[in-house]
Amino acid sequence: MSLNGTYDPDNIFAKILRGDIPNATVFENDHILSFMDAFPQSKGHTLVIPKTPSRNLFDTDPGVLVKLISKTQIIANAVRQTFNPDGITITQFNGAPAGQTVFHLHFHIIPRYKDMALGSHAGGQMADFEDLKEQAAKIRHNLP
Ligand code: AMP
């Protein structure tokens, strides 16, 4: 899907927000949901999404973006405390040619470990759900 288009209410993250698909929740409030990526590129790969429907950065209300990025910083800090990585990549893709595969705005928080190659983006192995729930609980413990 290109940058233009309409929001698909049946995209995977919309289904997660409706509770139709389970997720390993890290954080939730009225505006934001954060959960573990089911196909992690590294240990601790976490996603942060707004609850309001938008496909990408361009069709999102700036007020929503402010809440999203400030919460992403807080959650990334908890990920950092939890996994003690050597670095953290934070990414956000707009449009299929840019690598976006789920068309509901989201930030990736991807811990990076020295000498450890990054798993493939949206094409790797599905993680064990119980493991993800344990990781989410550890991150949650480090949230302010
Ligand atoms: P993007 O390619 O930037 O749109 O990222 C979408 C991300 O969603 C990928 O990293 C996928 O691994 C992840 N993903 C896909 N399905 C699920 C799911 N059911 N639960 C959690 N993460 C998912």
Side-chain angles (χ1 to χ4, degrees):
M1 193 186 278
S2 73
L3 283 179
N4 303 313
T6 51
Y7 180 82
D8 172 11
D10 283 326
N11 75 74
I12 293 171
F13 293 171
K15 288 181 179 171
I16 285 177
L17 284 169
R18 284 199 296 271
D20 295 346
I21 294 179
N23 74 90
T25 305
V26 170
F27 172 84
E28 180 167 18
N29 69 11
D30 288 348
H31 309 287
I32 307 283
L33 177 68
S34 174
F35 51 96
M36 304 311 296
D37 196 297
F39 303 86
Q41 288 184 258
S42 72
K43 186 172 183 173
H45 185 167
T46 304
L47 300 170
V48 191
I49 73 173
K51 288 195 170 176
T52 45
S54 62
R55 288 169 309 121
N56 56 50
L57 195 78
F58 301 102
D59 59 357
T60 304
D61 181 89
V64 171
L65 287 178
V66 168
K67 290 190 178 84
L68 186 64
I69 193 64
S70 52
K71 196 55 80 177
T72 298
Q73 184 196 37
I74 289 167
I75 294 167
N77 206 21
V79 168
R80 179 179 164 201
Q81 286 178 59
T82 305
F83 299 102
N84 195 26
D86 302 300
I88 295 188
T89 301
I90 296 181
T91 54
Q92 186 275 317
F93 303 129
N94 299 283
Q100 187 174 11
T101 60
V102 177
F103 298 93
H104 179 111
L105 176 67
H106 52 280
F107 279 100
H108 295 261
I109 298 169
I110 308 174
R112 304 296 298 268
Y113 307 94
K114 263 187 219 147
D115 305 324
M116 216 180 278
L118 203 58
S120 63
H121 169 71
Q125 227 185 322
M126 194 171 203
D128 178 86
F129 192 55
E130 292 307 311
D131 278 354
L132 292 184
K133 284 201 287 190
E134 269 179 39
Q135 289 179 27
K138 285 182 185 157
I139 298 169
R140 226 170 24 244
H141 182 75
N142 285 320
L143 283 171

